[in-house]
Amino acid sequence: MSEINIIDLTTLFIYFAILLIVGFVKGRGKRQDSGSFFVAKASLPWWVIAAAFVATGMNTEQLVGQNGMAYKIGLPLLNWYFIVFIVYSMLIFVFLPVYLRNGIVTMPEYLGRRFNSVCQNVFTVILLLSYVFMNLAVVFYGGAKLLEVVFGLNIWTGVILIGVVAGLYTMYGGMSSAAYAAVFQFALIFLSGFYLLYLAYQKLPNGWSDVIASAPCGFHMMRPMDYPEIPWHAVPLTILGIHLYYSCANQALVQGCFGAKREWDARIGLIVAGFFVVLRPFVEIFPGLFCRAIAVVDPSFNLGDQPVDNVLPIMIRQLVPIGLQGFILIGILASVMSTIAAFLNSISTLFTLNVYKSWINRNATEKQLVWVGTIATFILMIFSILYSPMIGYLSGGIFIYFQTLASYITVPLATVFLIGVLWKRATSTAALTVLTAGIPLGLFVANNLVPGLFEDETIRRYSLRNPFITGAMTQVLCVILMIVVSFFSRPNPVEEVRPLTFSLDKLRLPADEPKRPFYQRVGFLWSIFVLFYVAIYIYLW
């Protein structure tokens, strides 16, 4: 444990001060109008959307959790990044045009208009609970864990400090504060991450060769079916489940696109974000691989019986000179703060527009909505802060905690969105059935169906107890359930459903968008984006 050096402490203080200034300046004047406060309507250019999308997606489940898992299992984790070209493409061409052209502000609002208000309300409750106990709790705990291991700061103190700063500028300025602060965080994340890798590289006698030699699975992304953590078949089987939900129906990520100046800005912002995703493993995976390689020549980097979540803090503590640890830490905390801000703003938006305005006060004024959003942010943030230290008592670390919960929660949600946007015949009754039965169905598949149907050897050979595999099984059952119930229930009128479902005309930008040169066109840049990731897969398969 390091002493809290005055230089590091000053660096942290300056970082928090700049963050608050950026948040308050960009949020000034946004509290008079709920549209400006919650989604920064028609104001965000493509580069802000891109930076916010990348920074929001980088949280402690990745930075702390995945660096720990990378130390343990290595490159198979890269699959979680490189399949983005599929789910981002679905967001760009299928989901986003539907959301933007119907003026959607929240994900529950989409389900309310596509199906009915009951689906909207059920989804709102599920989202709020998952954000508090899964997303925010993980991010708070991971950020506090860094402060604890590096500086010896009590876990409760760290959680409260992070929560107060992120909460202040988000509660004041809403989406605009969160988005522009994320641009500042975006730069810090990569600057500090690459500096940490540079320091780690200096410790290796043979450089990159040592990393390749010590990688747990060799330098390949795909592992056999009996590999317990991420077998190869888990990769395609999760695309339409957890990954589709996370990128296409996750309020915290997608909400930034709702504030785009034009649909072109939203689409291009996502493509640019997709290119930057390839840099994320250098911050979220390779430090764990470097730590394992350094441990061969320096036992102080050996994790031993410590929790896997300690890998990144160990790297900072052991490699970074006193006086510069604050700089590295603010880069890591930047991802924490940007994610917290996005989720707090999403919670504020969801509660205010889908709970307060829908259930409590339909005639609320603009100022009332903003104040309710502010209060909701504060109260739900307190719940997350109080719960987050409990994660430290659970086995498996942040990554296992988050991914296991996500496999139960996101699969039915992803199924409802996917079928709802692609199939006009899908009914409100079917959607509600999957929303309410999906999570219990997932628990039944994992705990009863798999052990009841298969022998232990078969379960081991095909990793059938892996949460990603059981999640895929659950999704198959959810799809069947939604189709069957749809055929036995009455659909909404076609004229109501058509604008809220995908059609080929939505592949193109709206007719009122300005014509642009070929190198700025969505199709051209998207083609380069896809070829780029296909080439990576061919190389690292």
Side-chain angles (χ1 to χ4, degrees):
M1 183 175 68
S2 301
E3 298 288 334
I4 299 183
N5 182 274
I6 187 63
I7 299 175
D8 293 323
L9 196 62
T10 303
T11 303
L12 286 173
F13 175 79
I14 293 172
Y15 163 68
F16 285 128
I18 292 174
L19 198 57
L20 287 171
I21 291 169
V22 170
F24 279 97
V25 169
K26 296 309 298 185
R28 192 168 50 194
K30 301 296 189 297
R31 299 184 62 83
Q32 306 304 313
D33 172 54
S34 63
S36 298
F37 183 80
F38 292 118
V39 295
K41 61 182 180 182
S43 66
L44 301 181
W46 64 267
W47 55 273
V48 172
I49 292 169
F53 208 82
V54 176
T56 301
M58 299 177 72
N59 56 55
T60 48
E61 185 267 320
Q62 278 91 25
L63 283 163
V64 177
Q66 290 199 170
N67 271 307
M69 288 301 292
Y71 182 98
K72 181 180 178 182
I73 71 172
L75 284 194
L77 286 166
L78 287 177
N79 287 291
W80 271 208
Y81 299 88
F82 295 163
I83 59 175
V84 299
F85 78 94
I86 299 175
V87 288
Y88 278 29
S89 297
M90 295 185 70
L91 178 58
I92 291 167
F93 293 109
V94 178
F95 289 90
L96 195 60
V98 173
Y99 297 153
L100 293 180
R101 296 180 199 186
N102 286 280
I104 299 298
V105 176
T106 70
M107 296 294 99
E109 180 191 355
Y110 172 74
L111 289 193
R113 292 172 61 180
R114 172 63 182 86
F115 296 113
N116 60 24
S117 60
V118 180
C119 292
Q120 176 175 332
N121 294 340
V122 170
F123 184 42
T124 298
V125 172
I126 293 172
L127 268 188
L128 287 173
L129 291 175
S130 69
Y131 281 175
V132 171
F133 293 106
M134 184 174 74
N135 300 95
L136 274 179
V138 164
V139 179
F140 279 134
Y141 174 74
K145 187 72 176 176
L146 284 169
L147 294 173
E148 180 190 48
V149 176
V150 177
F151 290 131
L153 202 63
N154 178 273
I155 198 82
W156 283 100
T157 305
V159 165
I160 293 169
L161 175 64
I162 292 168
V164 166
V165 174
L168 279 175
Y169 73 79
T170 306
M171 286 188 289
Y172 176 77
M175 185 65 215
S176 190
S177 289
Y180 278 93
V183 176
F184 169 60
Q185 320 260 36
F186 173 84
L188 286 176
I189 291 167
F190 287 107
L191 282 174
S192 62
F194 279 101
Y195 178 61
L196 182 62
L197 275 187
Y198 168 77
L199 295 175
Y201 187 81
Q202 301 302 307
K203 293 281 290 184
L204 295 172
N206 302 303
W208 188 247
S209 299
D210 290 337
V211 178
I212 296 174
S214 62
C217 299
F219 223 64
H220 296 283
M221 292 161 55
M222 295 298 183
R223 303 307 300 158
M225 279 189 167
D226 61 353
Y227 191 69
E229 281 83 10
I230 306 179
W232 75 262
H233 57 309
V235 178
L237 289 177
T238 55
I239 289 174
L240 297 181
I242 185 172
H243 293 293
L244 182 136
Y245 168 79
Y246 188 72
S247 295
C248 301
N250 182 353
Q251 180 75 27
L253 259 71
V254 180
Q255 186 165 317
C257 299
F258 297 159
K261 288 183 175 181
R262 292 181 175 271
E263 191 171 310
W264 178 87
D265 286 277
R267 294 197 191 198
I268 295 299
L270 291 171
I271 293 172
V272 173
F275 280 112
F276 274 105
V277 166
V278 79
L279 298 178
R280 285 178 52 181
F282 290 96
V283 179
E284 298 173 338
I285 287 181
F286 284 108
L289 287 173
F290 272 72
C291 186
R292 188 182 182 98
I294 297 171
V296 175
V297 295
D298 185 346
S300 66
F301 285 80
N302 195 311
L303 192 61
D305 59 357
Q306 297 181 69
V308 293
D309 292 338
N310 281 11
V311 167
L312 186 62
I314 286 173
M315 293 283 283
I316 297 172
R317 187 183 64 198
Q318 297 284 85
L319 287 175
V320 184
I322 299 296
L324 285 177
Q325 289 183 352
F327 168 71
I328 294 294
L329 202 58
I330 65 172
I332 306 301
L333 285 177
S335 71
V336 176
M337 304 300 283
S338 60
T339 303
I340 290 172
F343 277 108
L344 286 177
N345 188 64
S346 296
I347 285 172
S348 173
T349 307
L350 288 168
F351 182 85
T352 305
L353 301 183
N354 294 120
V355 177
Y356 180 76
K357 190 172 183 180
S358 296
W359 303 357
I360 301 170
N361 186 1
R362 293 181 180 275
N363 300 314
T365 65
E366 295 292 297
K367 286 189 176 182
Q368 283 178 319
L369 291 176
V370 171
W371 273 109
V372 167
T374 304
I375 295 168
T377 301
F378 176 76
I379 293 173
L380 293 174
M381 180 184 71
I382 295 299
F383 275 112
S384 291
I385 287 174
L386 294 175
Y387 173 74
S388 59
M390 302 300 105
I391 296 174
Y393 297 101
L394 303 174
S395 61
I398 291 174
F399 179 83
I400 298 298
Y401 172 82
F402 183 87
Q403 297 293 344
T404 301
L405 277 183
S407 68
Y408 291 122
I409 294 171
T410 63
V411 163
L413 303 180
T415 303
V416 171
F417 271 86
L418 183 64
I419 301 298
V421 82
L422 293 180
W423 190 36
K424 295 179 179 63
R425 183 64 178 75
T427 68
S428 304
T429 304
L432 183 60
T433 302
V434 173
L435 285 174
T436 53
I439 295 175
L441 186 59
L443 292 168
F444 173 76
V445 168
N447 299 314
N448 301 100
L449 189 63
V450 168
L453 288 180
F454 303 102
E455 299 291 336
D456 289 344
E457 176 57 26
T458 303
I459 292 173
R460 186 200 63 79
R461 183 180 301 168
Y462 299 105
S463 302
L464 299 182
R465 296 299 294 270
N466 182 288
F468 305 121
I469 306 303
T470 56
M473 293 179 182
T474 303
Q475 185 161 36
V476 171
L477 295 177
C478 285
V479 169
I480 294 171
L481 185 61
M482 193 158 181
I483 291 173
V484 170
V485 175
S486 289
F487 278 123
F488 284 92
S489 54
R490 180 178 298 177
N492 292 351
V494 174
E495 59 272 15
E496 291 183 10
V497 170
R498 185 177 289 112
L500 295 157
T501 54
F502 172 74
S503 55
L504 291 177
D505 63 290
K506 292 185 174 73
L507 293 173
R508 298 184 297 273
L509 289 172
D512 62 349
E513 291 263 349
K515 300 297 181 183
R516 301 177 186 275
F518 79 94
Y519 56 85
Q520 291 182 0
R521 291 177 184 171
V522 173
F524 174 73
L525 294 172
W526 172 79
S527 300
I528 297 174
F529 166 59
V530 171
L531 290 173
F532 176 66
Y533 275 97
V534 170
I536 291 175
Y537 255 107
I538 292 172
Y539 179 70
L540 288 176
W541 186 272

